[in-house]
């Protein structure tokens, strides 16, 4: 249980960090545009895929 909470916390930090970096690099769409953005999806998917390859969350 303790490891799962740490894994979830680090995953959340990685997702927020990825979004922050994408906004700083101006990769995302305009601030008011709430439509789906494939670039953001692929970036978050890649970061989470690599994270879960390095540290799987199960027994």
């Amino acid at each position: 249980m303790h490891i799962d909470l740490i894994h979830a916390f680090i995953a959340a930090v990685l997702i927020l960090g990825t979004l922050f970096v994408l906004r700083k690099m101006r990769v995302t769409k305009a601030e008011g545009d709430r439509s789906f953005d494939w670039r953001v999806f692929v970036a978050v998917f890649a970061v989470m895929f690599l994270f879960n390859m390095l540290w799987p969350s199960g027994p």
Side-chain angles (χ1 to χ4, degrees):
M1 177 70 177
H2 182 65
I3 298 294
D4 291 336
L5 291 176
I6 295 171
H7 189 272
F9 177 74
I10 293 173
V13 169
L14 285 173
I15 291 170
L16 292 174
T18 302
L19 294 175
F20 178 76
V21 168
L22 290 175
R23 284 190 181 159
K24 284 292 185 185
M25 294 175 55
R26 299 182 190 264
V27 174
T28 59
K29 293 182 179 180
E31 188 69 31
D33 190 8
R34 295 287 185 177
S35 62
F36 188 78
D37 191 355
W38 279 102
R39 293 172 291 189
V40 173
F41 174 78
V42 169
V44 171
F45 181 84
V47 168
M48 292 310 300
F49 182 79
L50 290 174
F51 174 60
N52 284 308
M53 284 284 120
L54 294 174
W55 185 14
S57 72

